[in-house]
Amino acid sequence: MPEQLRRDVRLLGDLLGQILSEAVGADLLEDVECLRALVILAATSPESSALQEAEALVDSFTPQRAEDVARAFSCYFHLVNLAEEHHRVRVLRERESALTPSQSHPEDSLPSALRALEEEVGAQDARARVAGLEFRPVLTAHPTEARRRAIASAIRRITVLLAARDDHGLGGVALRENTEQLLAEIDGLWRTSPLRMTKPSPLDEVRTAMGVFDETLFTVLPEVYRRLENWVNVDGAGLTAPVAPAFVRLGTWIGGDRDGNPNVTAAITRQAAAIANEHVLRALENVALRVGRTMTLDAATTPASPALDELWLSQRQLAPELTTEIALRSPNEPHRRALLVIARRIEATRLRDADLAYAGADGLLDDLMVVQDSLVAAGAKRVAYSDLQQFLWQVQTFGFHLAEMEMRQHSQVHREALAEIAEHGADSPALSERTVEVLDTFRAMASIQQRYGTPAARRYIVSFTQCADDLANVYTLADHALGSPEKMPVLDVVPLFETFADLQAATEILTEIVDHPRVVARLAQTERRMEVMLGYSDSSKDVGPVSATLALYDAQSRISKWAQDNNITLTLFHGRGGALGRGGGPANRAVLAQPPGSVDGRFKLTEQGEVIAARYGDPVIATRHIEQVAAATLLQSLPSVGEHNAAAAERFSGVAATLDAVSRERFFELVHAEGFPKWFAQVTPQEEIGLLPLGSRPAKRGLSVNSLDDLRAIPWVFAWTQARINLTGWFGLGTALAGVGDLDELQAAYREWPLFSTMIDNVEMSLAKTDDRIAERYLALGDREDLATLVLAEMAITKEWVLKVTGKTRMLADMRVLGRAVQLRSPYVDALSLIQLRALRALRRGAPAEDIPELQRLLLLSVNGVAAGLQNTG
């Protein structure tokens, strides 16, 4: 462990120990330390009886002591996590400060990507590809963030205090004061309940997402553009018009995703759009005021252009009293006064003052361009392309809507709604509440577009698209909802192919829908741009992680070829989760492993739950993530990358066929076994996870889970993660690798085939977080020795073959920092797992009714702790 990180972890751990002694007593600290020593011994000496002794110690705790110990370990993980994140920020800053333009940069950096582009396609083509770059992260409210907002806020405050200790000038009284503040914050963290008392509403989820916008994204994105500009436009940065585009467009499902969530209504969607509008307009207003107040350029040195004079004249006609007041405060400062009026107009837009408000973001952009062009014409290029350019980038990125809200609904809901309308009529009071809500969704989209602009809400995603009619139904329902064409919202209907069968049928469905008159008309308006979404979660649950990975690659390849044949500019939308069983893993590596032509400078994906905080919670980490994805998106469009991926897929097609067939058969052997759903609920905390008030969306589709179809993908992954098995990320791979059998061929595939190497490395990470001894204890909760044996045997053979293929002696052996972090964390997670097992055993045995609430609380506390320890939920 790096010495600075070791120092931080030791400091925070010691302070937590002090708080535990003060708050509860020295005996709690003694129990925590005793359990800690036993689980560490069990990890370092598996042949010892330490794990059994740790289990006995946990069983001896009173209910209150078990809860206190669980909370202590959970607090420790929160502190370790923040120390690791702070160290990552520290390393990134040190690395950035040491780099110069002439030095070599990491392969996954923007400078390296730009250099590779120029070398392969030439400087002119490289600039053209940069100009067309698009990255579209879509924030979702899927409930995979186990931490309360109060916990997250406390962690941020502790991080600030920890960062202050890096100041070499901090010593003496100041250092002591910092320590006292840390103790106070850690005491508050310990005393804050880790469990939410109530489920968050959709609007609570909207406000959580707004925090990410306010704290990082609004300021980080223009800084990323600036960095790209400095690398692309080396000689002209700051002196010529920017080459770098505002290439990020933020999307959101929060407040728009109604698939399986009855709490998301048309009224909620309107309120979500209004909240986003309020946040972005306040942010833009503040920037306009700041930039305007500093634009103190005198007319003698920086005269106004004729266009700026015209703008000022129109501003005076629009608001005589306001402009008179501003002119008195800004004499002979034409650029400043224009910007201050712009700021007041943004404020009026927020307050819905129709006389002064902008009709849309385009009007604001036009005014800002007039100011910028005037500055350039007057020779003030540095001023024109500095803060004012940052402001322009922010308006281009966020508009007045902040994020493009996307609606999503299940195809079956549409079919049932149309059946009701056919029977009763679109205006009939006999329509069900759900069908009325379906129609109201289109009315809400029309209203949002009218108020905030078309980009604010034009995409409508159809879950479980199984035929072209599922897409055509959206237009029919919109017609029923709004009647006349002039009232109709602009609709970009996006198919979501999720199951294995749907992925196989994707191109046939697209071929049929592309001839629909409304689709033809929309393609003509958008220069034949079209979006197709791929679901990672349900495809993995459908056929297993290996077959799903291969099926998704094949579908992308076929859809890309179809788009090329039909002269369509395609954007593939990747519905990825944070966990490996839901398409998780490093996004930049995933981009580079895609089929040729499937990215083409455009990458869109869902960012879910805990991933949002991990990738965008800190400005430095957010900058690094966005740059990595941008670099990978540019590199993936290189002819050499596409040729390599295509050649590797062809070269190892036989390996892929065997992996697909064998892994799927093995996966079906488990999940299609008689009684599997019931057994799964017994051996994991799947049912109890549904009690956690994590998100507004129900965890399952019915009252009970009788088949995997009833279970949503998140609790499916979450439950296996909690049981320390992580089955959804690897099951079937070991048997499939053994089925191929040819180790030389598999090692060649690992070296040469990006899709395969990415899959193997992701599985390695997943397996590194498993523990077969703890897993055995969870599997013993069920009454199916055959299934338990099957799972453990597959875990063993997968570990064996992954190490063979990678040539390693242990998991993550070549990733020193990460491997060490996982290795050090695992014993502490074991302690929480033993506490969780204590509660689960009692619940499975049929505890007295009066004990159930206490046991459930203990179990849910341990769920939070394990999630923090593994830094992964669903």
Side-chain angles (χ1 to χ4, degrees):
M1 185 185 292
E3 183 53 39
Q4 289 171 304
L5 176 57
R6 184 190 302 276
R7 179 198 65 203
D8 290 343
V9 170
R10 185 183 295 120
L11 169 70
L12 295 173
D14 289 346
L15 295 180
L16 175 61
Q18 183 177 336
I19 291 302
L20 295 180
S21 294
E22 292 174 358
V24 181
D27 55 336
L28 171 60
L29 184 57
E30 289 173 8
D31 283 340
V32 168
E33 288 297 314
C34 183
L35 181 56
R36 184 173 76 93
L38 286 171
V39 291
I40 290 174
L41 179 60
T44 54
S45 303
E47 71 284 353
S48 71
S49 61
L51 190 61
Q52 290 82 354
E53 293 175 38
E55 201 164 17
L57 176 62
V58 166
D59 289 342
S60 73
F61 291 154
T62 64
Q64 183 59 50
R65 178 49 49 90
E67 181 175 320
D68 287 343
V69 171
R71 290 183 63 174
F73 276 94
S74 298
C75 276
Y76 176 75
F77 279 130
H78 289 313
L79 295 174
V80 171
N81 289 346
L82 76 86
E84 288 181 348
E85 182 173 294
H86 173 60
H87 185 68
R88 185 180 173 199
V89 170
R90 179 191 287 138
V91 169
L92 287 172
R93 283 181 171 150
E94 290 173 354
R95 185 184 300 162
E96 288 290 327
S97 65
L99 287 176
T100 65
S102 60
Q103 287 180 311
S104 60
H105 293 76
E107 289 184 3
D108 59 355
S109 68
L110 270 173
S112 292
L114 293 168
R115 190 175 299 115
L117 271 176
E118 290 177 353
E119 290 174 356
E120 188 161 329
V121 301
Q124 186 174 351
D125 196 355
R127 283 201 173 196
R129 292 177 190 231
V130 168
L133 177 64
E134 293 181 15
F135 174 41
R136 296 177 177 269
V138 179
L139 308 183
T140 79
H142 288 350
T144 63
E145 171 59 275
R147 296 180 306 182
R148 287 181 62 199
R149 285 177 65 184
I151 298 290
S153 297
I155 288 169
R156 281 195 296 273
R157 294 193 297 272
I158 295 170
T159 302
V160 170
L161 291 168
L162 186 64
R165 299 176 79 93
D166 285 346
D167 182 357
H168 297 298
L170 190 69
V173 174
L175 184 61
R176 180 174 179 79
E177 287 177 352
N178 178 278
T179 302
E180 292 299 323
Q181 288 177 294
L182 277 171
L183 281 166
E185 289 292 353
I186 293 171
D187 191 19
L189 178 65
W190 159 255
R191 295 175 185 276
T192 299
S193 172
L195 298 179
R196 296 179 178 92
M197 295 298 103
T198 57
K199 289 177 74 69
S201 71
L203 293 182
D204 290 331
E205 294 167 336
V206 169
R207 293 185 180 97
T208 298
M210 290 302 102
V212 177
F213 167 80
D214 294 340
E215 293 162 20
T216 58
L217 288 176
F218 184 70
T219 52
V220 159
L221 289 177
E223 290 171 2
V224 171
Y225 304 153
R226 174 70 66 197
R227 290 159 69 97
L228 177 58
E229 172 68 12
N230 289 338
W231 292 115
V232 179
N233 196 10
V234 177
D235 298 324
L239 288 172
T240 60
V243 176
F247 65 84
V248 179
R249 291 295 182 273
L250 195 63
T252 180
W253 281 9
I254 307 172
D257 181 11
R258 52 252 302 136
D259 179 13
N261 192 348
N263 300 308
V264 176
T265 63
I268 291 292
T269 298
R270 287 190 176 93
Q271 290 177 69
I275 291 170
N277 171 256
E278 168 78 11
H279 276 259
V280 74
L281 287 177
R282 279 191 182 276
L284 293 174
E285 179 187 341
N286 289 337
V287 174
L289 283 170
R290 177 176 57 79
V291 176
R293 286 167 179 164
T294 60
M295 195 70 68
T296 54
L297 288 71
D298 190 80
T301 61
T302 317
S305 67
L308 186 63
D309 285 337
E310 288 182 22
L311 174 60
W312 176 246
L313 180 61
S314 68
Q315 288 177 332
R316 288 181 62 187
Q317 292 171 339
L318 189 67
E321 294 180 2
L322 171 64
T323 51
T324 299
E325 174 196 338
I326 288 175
L328 287 172
R329 290 191 284 113
S330 308
N332 299 318
E333 295 171 345
H335 299 89
R336 184 173 192 262
R337 67 191 185 192
L339 279 166
L340 292 176
V341 175
I342 286 170
R344 290 295 297 272
R345 291 198 66 189
I346 297 171
E347 178 190 37
T349 307
R350 178 172 60 82
L351 298 175
R352 304 194 72 185
D353 176 357
D355 292 337
L356 197 55
Y358 281 107
D362 287 344
L364 171 58
L365 280 171
D366 290 344
D367 285 358
L368 293 176
M369 288 301 301
V370 169
V371 177
Q372 186 178 64
D373 291 344
S374 177
L375 290 167
V376 171
K381 295 178 181 179
R382 293 283 184 191
V383 177
Y385 298 130
S386 183
D387 288 351
L388 181 59
Q389 180 58 48
Q390 302 267 106
F391 188 15
L392 274 160
W393 276 328
Q394 286 168 320
V395 179
Q396 290 166 343
T397 299
F398 299 108
F400 285 174
H401 56 281
L402 193 154
E404 300 180 5
M405 185 178 295
E406 302 184 351
M407 310 302 146
R408 185 173 74 130
Q409 185 54 280
H410 199 291
S411 59
Q412 183 61 30
V413 171
H414 294 155
R415 294 188 208 110
E416 292 173 3
L418 285 170
E420 281 190 39
I421 292 168
E423 181 179 356
H424 301 292
D427 299 321
S428 171
L431 292 179
S432 67
E433 184 178 342
R434 189 174 71 176
T435 294
V436 171
E437 189 55 51
V438 168
L439 297 176
D440 281 346
T441 298
F442 296 100
R443 296 167 187 139
M445 291 181 73
S447 172
I448 290 168
Q449 287 185 16
Q450 184 178 15
R451 183 170 172 186
Y452 309 119
T454 299
R458 68 173 185 263
R459 287 185 175 85
Y460 195 108
I461 298 164
V462 182
S463 297
F464 286 89
T465 298
Q466 298 176 322
C467 61
D469 284 347
D470 287 337
L471 303 175
N473 288 344
V474 175
Y475 299 108
T476 305
L477 286 163
D479 290 338
H480 284 306
L482 292 153
S484 59
E486 60 270 15
K487 295 180 181 179
M488 202 67 60
V490 174
L491 286 174
D492 288 325
V493 181
V494 179
L496 170 49
F497 301 115
E498 299 185 77
T499 67
F500 180 77
D502 296 342
L503 289 169
Q504 296 291 99
T507 51
E508 288 79 3
I509 295 170
L510 292 170
T511 298
E512 187 175 346
I513 196 61
V514 82
D515 291 329
H516 189 285
R518 301 279 271 276
V519 177
V520 170
R522 185 62 182 148
L523 287 173
Q525 294 169 347
T526 63
E527 298 180 329
R528 297 191 67 77
R529 294 175 68 94
M530 190 173 186
E531 194 170 296
V532 175
M533 185 172 181
L534 304 172
Y536 285 66
S537 304
D538 281 285
S539 58
S540 180
K541 188 160 66 76
D542 191 22
V543 293
V546 179
S547 284
T549 298
L550 296 169
L552 284 159
Y553 183 93
D554 177 64
Q556 290 175 69
S557 184
R558 287 185 291 104
I559 293 169
S560 300
K561 176 68 166 54
W562 171 87
Q564 187 177 11
D565 292 344
N566 287 273
N567 190 30
I568 283 172
T569 301
L570 174 72
T571 297
L572 283 171
F573 181 9
H574 302 267
R576 297 159 58 89
L580 299 177
R582 303 184 58 237
N588 57 315
R589 288 197 64 191
V591 174
L592 289 169
Q594 302 308 310
S598 63
V599 176
D600 198 23
R602 297 175 298 280
F603 187 59
K604 181 174 181 179
L605 81 165
T606 50
E607 300 280 32
Q608 303 181 2
E610 68 213 356
V611 171
I612 297 173
R615 289 179 176 167
Y616 302 106
D618 180 271
V620 175
I621 292 174
T623 299
R624 173 67 171 150
H625 169 67
I626 295 164
E627 286 191 346
Q628 282 184 308
V629 174
T633 303
L634 289 172
L635 286 173
Q636 213 281 338
S637 67
L638 284 174
S640 60
V641 173
E643 290 165 7
H644 177 80
N645 287 355
E650 177 64 26
R651 156 82 168 80
F652 297 106
S653 59
V655 171
T658 301
L659 292 174
D660 177 30
V662 176
S663 69
R664 196 183 324 178
E665 181 180 356
R666 183 68 159 172
F667 184 74
F668 287 169
E669 185 181 354
L670 175 68
V671 300
H672 291 174
E674 185 178 353
F676 173 79
K678 179 182 176 183
W679 176 79
F680 166 60
Q682 285 180 320
V683 301
T684 70
Q686 175 256 310
E687 292 285 354
E688 288 77 12
I689 285 170
L691 300 174
L692 275 172
L694 295 183
S696 64
R697 180 179 171 185
K700 52 193 176 186
R701 295 184 172 92
L703 295 176
S704 61
V705 177
N706 298 312
S707 75
L708 288 188
D709 293 337
D710 298 328
L711 187 68
R712 301 196 189 283
I714 291 169
W716 163 247
V717 174
F718 201 159
W720 285 118
T721 303
Q722 286 287 313
R724 308 290 299 287
I725 297 171
N726 288 346
L727 179 144
T728 58
W730 54 262
F731 192 89
L733 176 62
T735 297
L737 293 172
V740 174
D742 187 338
L743 183 57
D744 289 340
E745 183 75 350
L746 289 170
Q747 289 180 335
Y750 183 67
R751 289 191 303 271
E752 302 168 22
W753 185 15
L755 179 72
F756 183 73
S757 61
T758 299
M759 177 173 66
I760 292 292
D761 289 346
N762 284 343
V763 166
E764 183 184 2
M765 168 62 76
S766 183
L767 289 170
K769 294 184 178 182
T770 63
D771 188 300
D772 51 1
R773 300 164 308 154
I774 299 294
E776 285 177 4
R777 286 163 166 76
Y778 279 93
L779 295 172
L781 294 170
D783 53 3
R784 293 289 298 274
E785 187 177 344
D786 57 330
L787 297 182
T789 301
L790 179 63
V791 170
L792 292 172
E794 188 61 29
M795 182 188 290
I797 196 173
T798 304
K799 287 182 177 179
E800 175 190 350
W801 275 90
V802 165
L803 291 176
K804 283 182 179 180
V805 169
T806 59
K808 299 174 186 176
T809 57
R810 59 181 174 80
M811 298 295 167
L812 304 180
D814 61 339
M815 302 178 74
R816 184 175 56 85
V817 175
L818 180 59
R820 182 66 173 158
V822 171
Q823 185 181 8
L824 288 172
R825 282 167 175 274
S826 292
Y828 296 86
V829 181
D830 292 346
L832 284 162
S833 293
L834 293 176
I835 292 172
Q836 186 175 115
L837 279 161
R838 164 184 162 153
L840 270 178
R841 286 193 188 102
L843 290 167
R844 297 295 181 264
R845 285 196 297 261
E850 61 271 18
D851 292 346
I852 289 177
E854 188 175 69
L855 290 167
Q856 286 179 337
R857 176 176 170 80
L858 177 60
L859 190 146
L860 296 181
L861 285 168
S862 69
V863 165
N864 272 272
V866 170
L870 297 176
Q871 293 183 296
N872 204 233
T873 54

